[in-house]
Amino acid sequence: MILNCWEFKKCGSESKKGLGICPAFTETKAHRLNRGKNGGRICWAVTGTHCNGEKQGTYAQKVLLCSDCDFRRKVKDEEGMTFRFIYFKS
Ligand code: SF4
């Protein structure tokens, strides 16, 4: 089953800690990349996601967090040769 990060992590689109809606849920420029809804399957490249209930930084700042993430491994396995690692916002 193709899941977005908020479905896999079961965090919901809106953080419980008052952070508002996670940008992975609203990043329309990443829509359909890796077959996800908005940034839902390329969240590692979305700035300010709410992973682990905390507001994260830029891709460069969360690269270590994401490199050990079970969701990113799952997307990579599912997408195979068509896996997209980054996207461009312009
Ligand atoms: S830790 Fe990184 S790869 Fe994992 S769900 Fe959060 S943004 Fe996505």
Side-chain angles (χ1 to χ4, degrees):
M1 184 177 184
I2 299 301
L3 297 175
N4 295 290
C5 58
W6 54 85
E7 296 159 330
F8 181 81
K9 295 285 191 182
K10 301 191 186 322
C11 54
S13 62
E14 195 154 343
S15 166
K16 310 292 183 290
K17 292 186 177 176
L19 296 173
I21 296 174
C22 178
F25 195 77
T26 59
E27 179 54 287
T28 56
K29 289 187 175 150
H31 187 53
R32 295 197 175 178
L33 294 179
N34 295 325
R35 298 185 285 168
K37 178 179 177 183
N38 293 336
R41 284 175 66 85
I42 194 163
C43 50
W44 51 89
V46 177
T47 296
T49 52
H50 299 173
C51 311
N52 303 329
E54 304 287 341
K55 187 171 171 55
Q56 306 297 322
T58 62
Y59 166 74
Q61 290 167 325
K62 64 184 189 176
V63 66
L64 279 180
L65 172 80
C66 298
S67 67
D68 194 35
C69 179
D70 52 355
F71 179 70
R72 193 174 79 174
R73 279 196 297 273
K74 172 180 163 63
V75 174
K76 190 170 188 297
D77 287 348
E78 289 171 345
E79 301 306 317
M81 295 294 286
T82 61
F83 177 69
R84 285 283 300 270
F85 194 75
I86 58 169
Y87 70 102
F88 299 99
K89 293 192 172 200
S90 58

